[in-house]
């Protein structure tokens, strides 16, 4: 959770620093981050696949299979990042401009967003490697090493953003370029340090020469729905951002700020619970104890609702105060408080979704979270915001409602899937296939 807090703080710092430039700069970084989520989705997808196999094989004692899954996932992540380097360099500015009819390639938002995107995409292979390596080590039962590496990485990123973005001391004033450079440096540092940790003796995990296609197929079978979920989520966020821009750049900037405030306050716990649940449920399944795996999943979900729900109450009543740290524009601040309050209301169901989705992932089921999340976005986030906000004319308040509907819908679907328990049989079948069942050679 410390790691997640600092990672979220890093993104919060990006928004805070760009907020000192202009609302257009906040919107530029926010829109660029839409594209930056594409490689992030690949890294998280492969990370989901490898943490499932790594935790299961650690629990069953099949360490050779575990190390092969880790090696394959890291190699796949590095190769998958190369196309993004090309895209960012040649198409960054154009990519920002096509998001909304209100933007042109020559506009300030598109220009700044394109520069930022090109810089962070240049280190996509390193970002993939860092994400996959961290999940690999965590699945093996070591959460300290990824935390230590990412604490240093995020600290470098935060300091770099402030110093280079604002030109403090002898550093040059690089504006949005400095924010991008700081992120890129953090990505490279994390990747190199985590790979060195796996290669050396600092973690239980290790590298081996890949030879088993069964592991490759299972890794991709678990990762593919998670990657698809990420891609579809990102794709659906483009029309959602167009709806936000329909009401003005200040509304889009307010959404970025409101969501960032919510994520900074609640996401460290939510993501920490998800990672912890994935490890515990996966290792318990690997040990051949599905009853305890199911119990652990529900227990973690209950803890998440209690703690994150409490933070949501704090955010709801303090929304105006929290967002005031990011902007002094009255209109932007008012809308941002509304978005923060909407996310606060959704906090209990959001963490329930996140934790149970993590448990399902370690149970080799990534299709249920995919269906729940995408259908929730279509019906809630897009449907309610467009019909209520534009067609019926309720405006921005309809977008607030759409956030709550989205997470409520997705959570109900995932909770039903976890309760039914098909993920238990799927895990056992896949472990049998790759020879990781306890007692097998």
């Amino acid at each position: 959770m410390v790691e997640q807090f600092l990672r979220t703080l890093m993104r919060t710092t990006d928004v805070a620093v760009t907020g000192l430039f202009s609302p257009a700069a906040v919107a530029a970084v926010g829109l660029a981050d839409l594209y930056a989520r594409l490689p992030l989705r690949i890294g998280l997808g492969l990370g989901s696949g490898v943490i499932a196999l790594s935790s299961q094989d650690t629990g069953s004692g099949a360490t050779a299979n575990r190390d092969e899954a880790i090696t394959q996932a890291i190699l796949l992540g590095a190769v998958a990042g190369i196309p993004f380097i090309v895209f960012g360099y040649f198409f960054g500015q154009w990519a920002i401009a096509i998001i909304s009819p209100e933007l042109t390639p020559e506009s300030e938002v598109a220009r700044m967003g394109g520069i930022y995107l090109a810089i962070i995409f240049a280190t996509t292979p390193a970002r993939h490697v860092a994400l996959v390596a961290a999940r690999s080590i965590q699945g093996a039962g070591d959460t300290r090493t990824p935390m230590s590496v990412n604490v240093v990485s995020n600290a470098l990123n935060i300091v770099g953003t402030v110093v280079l973005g604002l030109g403090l001391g002898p550093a040059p004033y690089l504006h949005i370029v400095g924010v991008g450079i700081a992120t890129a440096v953090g990505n490279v540092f994390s990747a190199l340090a985590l790979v060195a940790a796996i290669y050396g003796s600092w973690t239980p995990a290790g590298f081996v020469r890949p030879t088993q296609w069964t592991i490759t197929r299972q890794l991709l079978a678990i990762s593919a729905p998670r990657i698809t979920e990420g891609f579809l989520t990102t794709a659906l966020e483009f029309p959602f951002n167009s709806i936000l821009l329909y009401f003005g750049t200040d509304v889009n900037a307010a959404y970025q700020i409101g969501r960032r405030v919510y994520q900074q306050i609640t996401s460290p716990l939510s993501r920490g619970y998800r990672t912890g649940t994935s490890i515990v449920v996966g290792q318990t399944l690997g040990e051949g104890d599905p009853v305890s795996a199911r119990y652990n999943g529900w227990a973690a979900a209950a803890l998440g609702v209690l703690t994150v729900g409490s933070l949501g109450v704090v955010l709801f009543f303090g929304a105006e105060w929290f967002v005031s740290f990011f902007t002094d524009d009255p209109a932007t601040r008012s809308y941002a408080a509304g978005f923060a309050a909407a996310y606060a209301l959704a906090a209990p169901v959001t963490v329930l979704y996140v934790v149970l989705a993590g448990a399902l992932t370690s149970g080799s089921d990534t299709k249920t979270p995919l269906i729940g999340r995408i259908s929730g976005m279509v019906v809630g986030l897009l449907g309610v915001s467009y019909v209520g906000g534009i067609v019926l004319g309720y405006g921005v308040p309809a977008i607030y409602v759409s956030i709550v509907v989205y997470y409520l819908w997705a959570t109900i679907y995932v909770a039903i899937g976890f309760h039914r328990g098909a993920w238990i049989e799927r895990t056992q079948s896949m472990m049998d296939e790759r020879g990781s069942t306890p007692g097998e050679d």
Side-chain angles (χ1 to χ4, degrees):
M1 293 180 185
V2 173
E3 172 191 347
Q4 298 297 341
F5 173 80
L6 287 173
R7 184 71 191 180
T8 309
L9 180 61
M10 180 197 72
R11 291 302 176 204
T12 302
T13 304
D14 288 352
V15 175
V17 171
T18 53
L20 296 176
F21 302 149
S22 66
V26 175
V29 171
L31 296 176
D33 276 343
L34 289 177
Y35 288 100
R37 290 173 198 166
L38 293 172
L40 175 65
R41 303 308 185 189
I42 294 176
L44 291 176
L46 289 170
S48 294
V50 77
I51 198 172
L53 298 187
S54 177
S55 61
Q56 292 166 15
D57 290 349
T58 297
S60 68
T63 55
N65 285 349
R66 178 196 66 197
D67 291 348
E68 173 143 1
I70 290 171
T71 304
Q72 291 190 21
I74 289 176
L75 290 174
L76 286 171
V79 172
I82 295 174
F84 291 98
I85 300 175
V86 178
F87 181 88
Y89 184 81
F90 289 103
F91 305 108
Q93 194 163 326
W94 167 84
I96 302 297
I98 65 171
I99 293 177
S100 171
E102 309 297 322
L103 301 175
T104 66
E106 292 76 28
S107 65
E108 185 180 12
V109 171
R111 182 186 62 80
M112 290 191 293
I115 293 172
Y116 178 79
L117 187 63
I119 294 171
I120 61 175
F121 265 17
T123 58
T124 298
R127 180 69 174 132
H128 282 174
V129 168
L131 286 167
V132 174
R135 299 303 185 277
S136 300
I137 297 170
Q138 289 167 345
D142 177 7
T143 57
R144 291 177 179 265
T145 299
M147 181 195 71
S148 300
V149 170
N150 286 319
V151 162
V152 176
S153 172
N154 292 329
L156 289 173
N157 197 327
I158 291 168
V159 173
T161 293
V162 174
V163 172
L164 296 177
L166 301 178
L168 300 183
Y173 174 62
L174 299 180
H175 201 263
I176 204 166
V177 172
V179 178
I181 290 174
T183 300
V185 170
N187 289 342
V188 173
F189 173 84
S190 293
L192 293 176
L194 289 170
V195 167
I198 295 175
Y199 183 78
S201 58
W202 292 282
T203 73
F207 291 122
V208 298
R209 183 175 181 177
T211 58
Q212 296 191 50
W213 286 106
T214 298
I215 291 178
T216 308
R217 181 166 49 79
Q218 291 191 1
L219 183 64
L220 294 176
I222 299 172
S223 301
R226 182 83 161 100
I227 294 172
T228 302
E229 174 191 339
F231 277 6
L232 291 177
T233 298
T234 301
L236 291 173
E237 284 179 344
F238 282 95
F240 178 67
N241 272 267
S242 293
I243 293 172
L244 292 171
L245 287 168
Y246 173 85
F247 294 103
T249 301
D250 56 342
V251 174
N252 185 278
Y255 171 75
Q256 311 299 338
I257 292 171
R259 186 175 68 169
R260 177 52 51 193
V261 168
Y262 164 78
Q263 290 177 335
Q264 181 60 58
I265 294 175
T266 67
S267 288
L269 278 178
S270 296
R271 293 171 182 169
Y273 287 143
R274 175 172 183 143
T275 300
T277 304
S278 295
I279 296 169
V280 172
V281 170
Q283 291 187 358
T284 308
L285 286 172
E287 293 167 358
D289 188 358
V291 174
S292 295
R294 186 191 292 271
Y295 173 81
N296 289 335
W298 285 120
L303 179 61
V305 171
L306 178 63
T307 54
V308 175
S310 299
L311 292 175
V313 173
V314 174
L315 175 58
F316 181 82
F317 289 103
E320 184 78 29
W321 182 76
F322 283 115
V323 301
S324 66
F325 287 96
F326 295 86
T327 179
D328 56 4
D329 180 75
T332 302
R333 185 169 62 243
S334 176
Y335 287 127
F339 282 116
Y343 274 109
L345 283 175
V349 291
T350 302
V351 70
L352 187 59
Y353 166 83
V354 169
V355 173
L356 292 180
L360 286 169
T361 295
S362 281
S364 306
D365 178 9
T366 47
K367 290 183 180 178
T368 299
L370 161 65
I371 296 172
R373 188 173 187 182
I374 298 307
S375 60
M377 289 191 73
V378 171
V379 173
L381 204 61
L382 289 180
V384 173
S385 62
Y386 177 75
V387 174
I390 297 177
V391 176
L392 298 180
Y394 287 104
V396 177
I399 305 178
Y400 301 154
V401 174
S402 75
I403 294 170
V404 179
V405 174
Y406 157 39
Y407 283 109
L408 182 62
W409 177 295
T411 301
I412 291 173
Y413 189 90
V414 166
I416 292 172
F418 185 79
H419 173 72
R420 287 177 175 172
W423 49 279
I424 296 174
E425 290 76 16
R426 176 176 170 81
T427 297
Q428 186 60 57
S429 174
M430 295 180 75
M431 288 181 64
D432 289 342
E433 184 182 17
R434 67 178 184 271
S436 294
T437 303
E440 292 189 9
D441 293 328

